Amino acid sequence: MAAGGDREAGAMTLLQTAEACRRAGRLAGAREAFTEAARAAEAAGDDAGFITAALGVGGIWVHEQRDVVAQAAVHALWERARSLAPAGSVEEARLAVRRAA
């Protein structure tokens, strides 16, 4: 498998781990895994994986990122993902709603 494929596989594994953590109620672990999956997907050039991970980071915790720096980082993640989402897609709308909320 090529290096890019390895990175995509790594991002997919992190997404699966994040989702498993979320389903098990391990929200802190899920948040960390979604954040790491977003980094890995972005490094691999996997826009769909990046968008999915960004939605996961913001889709579980309401106002968990309380300090200004953490909030700015999450908002930047959502904006980057939104810029990659297809225009008019459900993902674009979900990211816009997250950002607005």
Side-chain angles (χ1 to χ4, degrees), residues 5 10 13-14 17-22 28-29 44 46 49-50 63 67 69 72 75 83-84 86 91:
T13 298
L14 287 166
T17 298
E19 188 57 32
C21 287
R22 186 195 62 78
D46 177 4
F50 181 76
H63 299 297
D67 85 22
V69 174
H75 289 196
S83 76
L84 296 172
E91 292 83 2

Side-chain angles (χ1 to χ4, degrees), residues 64-91:
E64 180 176 335
Q65 293 82 15
R66 296 192 190 278
D67 85 22
V68 173
V69 174
Q71 285 179 356
V74 171
H75 289 196
L77 176 75
W78 292 336
E79 285 302 316
R80 172 89 173 107
R82 186 174 167 204
S83 76
L84 296 172
S89 68
V90 171
E91 292 83 2

Side-chain angles (χ1 to χ4, degrees), residues 13-62:
T13 298
L14 287 166
L15 279 171
Q16 291 168 342
T17 298
E19 188 57 32
C21 287
R22 186 195 62 78
R23 282 193 307 268
R26 295 179 34 233
L27 302 184
R31 180 187 66 246
E32 291 172 14
F34 276 122
T35 300
E36 185 60 30
R39 286 187 198 113
E42 187 168 37
D46 177 4
D47 292 350
F50 181 76
I51 292 164
T52 300
L55 285 166
V57 168
I60 301 169
W61 311 272
V62 176

